[in-house]
Amino acid sequence: MTGMTTDAGDLRELTVGTGAGGEQLGTDMVLNIGPQHPSTHGVLRLKLVLDGERVVAAEPIVGYMHRGAEKLFEVRDYRQIIVLANRHDWLSAFSNELGVVLAVERLMGMEVPERATWLRMALAELNRVLNHLMFLGSYPLEIGAITPVFYAFRERETIQAVMEEVSGGRIHYMFNRVGGLKEEVPAGWTGRARVAIGEVRRRLPDLDNLIRRNEIFLARTVGVGVLSAAEAAAFGASGPVARASGLDLDLRRDEPYLAYDQLDVPVVTKTAGDCHARFEVLLDQVYVSLDLAEQCLDRVDRLTGPVNTRLPKVVKAPEGHTYAWTENPLGINGYYLVSRGEKTPWRLKLRTASYANVQALATLLPGCLVPDLIAILGSMFFVVGDIDK
C-alpha cells in the first residue's frame, strides 16, 4: 500500500506491509488459520507467513484444547484414570485405555488371562479400522470429494454396532480394566463380529475404487507435502505418516506386546512420503487390521476361562516406574508411569503420536500453495485432543 503526504512541500512515499520482518516492514502477510474447530481436527491454530498464495513459513500453535489429563491422573486412582486416558484421542479410545492398563499391569507384575489378551487384540484392531475409516472419509471431504464419506461411514456403522454391543459405548468404550476386561463378551458376539468384518471387507473396494485412482484426487495429493524418511524420524513421526515415508516400523511386529508375537503382522509401507502415499497406507492398513481382528477372534473361540483378574478393593501399584508403548492407530503412544506405592499415579506421562505428527507441519508447509495447505494438513492424521492432552 502506498501513502503520500505533502508536508512543507516535501513529497514522501511509505510502503506498508504486515510481514514478520521485525523493525523493517516487508510485503509478506501473516495469516492466522484458527483457532477454530473444523470438526475432525479440533481446535488448532496455524500461524502462516504468505507471499501471495505461497506459504513462506508455518508455525503450528497448540494448547487451545488443553485438558490437563496428565495432571488429573495424579489425583485419580488406577480405575478412574482409564476414563481420562480414553478421551485424549477420541478416535482411538480403546487403544488409549489399553496403553494405560498395560503400564499399570507391568508395574504390578500382573499376568492377564489369555482370553482377555486375545479379546483386547481383536478389539484394538477393530478400533484401528474405525479410526482409519474416519480419516478415509473426512480427508477427501476436505479437498472437495463429498461421496467417499458416505461409504466410509457405512463401514464405520457396521463395526460400531459390534463395538457397542460388547462395551455399551460407541466412541468411549471403557472396556479395559487393570487385569483384563470389564466383563465377558455377549454369547455369540464373536460370530457377529466376524460377519461384520466380512461385510466391511467385501464392501471396502467401493471406497477404494472411488478414490485411490481418481484423477482429481491424484492431482491434489501426488507430490504434495512430501515428508522424507529422515524428516519423519527427526520429528518422531510414527504410524501411517512415517510408514508412508518409508520408515518400516511397527511395534506390533518389532516390539510385540500382548500376543502380537504369535501373529504375522504385515506392515504397509510406501516410499513417496506425499499426501497420496499417506492416504494409501491408511487404506491398505484397514485390510490388514480386518484380517488380524478375524485371526484374533478365531483364537478367542478356542479359548475358555476368565477375562479379568480378581483385584483388591483398592488397587495400589508398587513403588517404581515403568514404560509401556503401543502401536496406536495414529502411531506410537508411550505411557511412562511413576508410582510411590499409593492408589494414584505419582506421574503418568503420555507420549502421543498426534503431537509428533503435527510438528512436521513446520517443515512440510513452507513452499506450498494455500490450497495445498488443506490437503497436507488433513493427511498428517492427528487429533488435537491427542496433542493437547
Side-chain angles (χ1 to χ4, degrees):
M1 182 176 88
T2 303
M4 302 181 69
T5 60
T6 53
D7 184 8
D10 186 19
L11 204 64
R12 292 181 296 144
E13 185 173 282
L14 179 66
T15 302
V16 180
T18 57
E23 295 178 3
Q24 185 177 356
L25 295 171
T27 55
D28 292 340
M29 180 175 72
V30 176
L31 176 68
N32 278 292
I33 304 290
Q36 58 183 314
H37 195 309
S39 187
T40 53
H41 293 316
V43 184
L44 176 72
R45 177 184 169 201
L46 285 176
K47 185 179 178 182
L48 306 175
V49 179
L50 301 179
D51 179 7
E53 283 196 56
R54 194 166 296 279
V55 178
V56 178
E59 180 187 0
I61 301 173
V62 302
Y64 289 95
M65 204 172 182
H66 186 53
R67 297 160 171 224
E70 291 182 0
K71 200 66 184 171
L72 292 172
F73 289 152
E74 298 170 17
V75 291
R76 283 163 173 76
D77 66 35
Y78 287 106
R79 291 184 174 94
Q80 293 170 324
I81 62 174
I82 299 171
V83 76
L84 291 171
N86 177 291
R87 282 162 164 73
H88 56 86
D89 174 359
W90 46 83
L91 297 180
S92 312
F94 187 88
S95 301
N96 295 340
E97 302 169 12
L98 183 59
V100 168
V101 297
L102 285 175
V104 178
E105 288 161 4
R106 180 172 294 181
L107 193 56
M108 296 177 70
M110 184 178 293
E111 193 75 27
V112 174
E114 191 179 7
R115 183 173 167 83
T117 296
W118 286 97
L119 273 170
R120 280 177 171 179
M121 290 165 62
L123 291 165
E125 293 305 320
L126 290 175
N127 188 198
R128 193 182 311 275
V129 171
L130 286 171
N131 174 291
H132 290 359
L133 285 170
M134 173 62 84
F135 284 102
L136 291 171
S138 64
Y139 178 54
L141 191 64
E142 288 167 0
I143 54 177
I146 296 172
T147 311
V149 73
F150 299 115
Y151 288 96
F153 268 72
R154 178 185 67 182
E155 312 315 332
R156 268 180 62 86
E157 283 302 313
T158 303
I159 301 293
Q160 289 275 35
V162 295
M163 295 293 280
E164 184 177 11
E165 182 189 359
V166 76
S167 68
R170 286 174 55 82
I171 303 293
H172 301 298
Y173 308 107
M174 275 304 296
F175 201 58
N176 279 287
R177 295 292 186 273
V178 175
L181 296 170
K182 175 188 171 189
E183 59 197 5
E184 181 56 82
V185 297
W189 177 83
T190 55
R192 290 187 289 277
R194 209 176 276 105
V195 169
I197 290 169
E199 286 181 7
V200 172
R201 187 189 286 115
R202 178 174 51 81
R203 296 188 309 222
L204 198 57
D206 292 347
L207 176 63
D208 195 325
N209 297 332
L210 182 68
I211 204 75
R212 193 193 292 257
R213 296 174 189 85
N214 181 286
E215 289 183 15
I216 300 171
F217 187 74
L218 289 170
R220 292 296 307 274
T221 56
V222 173
V224 176
V226 177
L227 180 70
S228 69
E231 288 172 337
F235 281 108
S238 57
V241 169
R243 290 195 286 272
S245 297
L247 284 184
D248 189 6
L249 173 66
D250 191 311
L251 294 184
R252 295 171 297 172
R253 179 198 63 192
D254 303 326
E255 293 280 345
Y257 53 98
L258 296 174
Y260 277 112
D261 57 336
Q262 298 180 43
L263 291 177
D264 177 22
V265 181
V267 178
V268 180
T269 58
K270 304 286 178 186
T271 54
D274 58 11
C275 292
H276 193 262
R278 291 190 280 273
F279 185 87
E280 278 198 306
V281 167
L282 215 63
L283 189 53
D284 292 338
Q285 181 65 57
V286 173
Y287 292 103
V288 170
S289 290
L290 289 171
D291 291 343
L292 291 175
E294 197 163 45
Q295 292 175 47
C296 293
L297 291 171
D298 291 341
R299 290 293 293 266
V300 169
D301 284 342
R302 297 201 297 268
L303 293 168
T304 56
V307 294
N308 46 39
T309 306
R310 184 177 291 276
L311 297 173
K313 190 171 183 180
V314 177
V315 176
K316 292 184 179 181
E319 189 170 345
H321 61 95
T322 191
Y323 183 76
W325 57 352
T326 59
E327 186 68 42
N328 267 40
L330 298 181
I332 295 173
N333 272 26
Y335 305 82
Y336 179 59
L337 174 63
V338 183
S339 171
R340 290 188 170 176
E342 299 165 348
K343 66 178 182 179
T344 61
W346 184 76
R347 183 82 167 92
L348 178 53
K349 167 67 179 163
L350 299 176
R351 186 269 185 212
T352 61
S354 296
Y355 187 86
N357 290 353
V358 81
Q359 299 309 304
L361 291 172
T363 294
L364 280 183
L365 295 180
C368 80
L369 295 171
V370 172
D372 289 337
L373 182 150
I374 303 300
I376 297 170
L377 187 66
S379 74
M380 292 307 286
F381 308 136
F382 58 85
V383 171
V384 178
D386 204 34
I387 300 168
D388 292 349
K389 46 187 190 300

